[in-house]
Amino acid sequence: SDGMQITSFYRLGLSQNNPGYLIAGAQDNSTFYYDNNTWINIIGGDGMECLIDPDDPEFLYGSWQYGGLANSWDGGQSLNYYLADYILNTAGEEGEWVSPFMLNPTNGNELYFGAGNVWKTSDEGNNWTQLSNFPAMSGAGYPSPASALAMSSEAPENIYVAKRIYHSYGEMA
């Protein structure tokens, strides 16, 4: 493999309405954005979950390990970091190694983020509303972090949350 440029992607996000635009979170190598012409390296660290707004291919979200979250309005040229700080610091929740987030498939202004609970923002991460109230794991003081989120475009009021079993705490929360 000498001289080869190889990367391993955790997640990949495609622009639904604009072919040729994608964003990809790479293990140990940050997040990359492709604008139908050029690869751009954005958001350092481990690149994790990422997505592109379905209507505007230059509006994107990217993340790094344990729930770090950023967005950009200009294809990654400038970034608004630490969108999930309220959830992770003020609310005291933990994010998973790859913390899940998604846009509402029927309303692209609504972003959903999975930490110990499910959170929603309608203003690009400036304010968050807690949608669930999962119990804290005994001995941890916080709910187990979400590892996956899903929502149907037919019934967006139903949000599905997957969580891992943390045997070190003796339970699943």
Side-chain angles (χ1 to χ4, degrees), residues 56-80:
D56 181 357
E58 292 204 351
F59 188 79
L60 49 94
Y61 288 92
S63 64
W64 56 96
Q65 60 270 33
Y66 300 113
L69 180 63
N71 66 5
S72 174
W73 299 269
D74 57 8
Q77 297 302 312
S78 59
L79 292 157
N80 180 18

Side-chain angles (χ1 to χ4, degrees), residues 146-167:
S147 55
L149 294 176
M151 175 186 292
S152 166
S153 60
E154 301 298 318
E157 66 277 6
N158 296 323
I159 301 170
Y160 300 90
V161 182
K163 292 185 169 219
R164 299 176 195 268
I165 296 173
Y166 283 82
H167 296 286

Side-chain angles (χ1 to χ4, degrees), residues 130-154:
Q130 183 177 335
L131 301 180
S132 63
N133 191 20
F134 293 112
M137 294 182 291
S138 112
Y142 54 85
S144 65
S147 55
L149 294 176
M151 175 186 292
S152 166
S153 60
E154 301 298 318

Side-chain angles (χ1 to χ4, degrees), residues 36-56:
N36 204 25
N37 184 37
T38 307
W39 285 99
I40 302 166
N41 187 307
I42 60 173
I43 311 174
D46 283 297
M48 299 290 176
E49 185 69 72
C50 47
L51 61 84
I52 298 174
D53 182 276
D55 298 318
D56 181 357

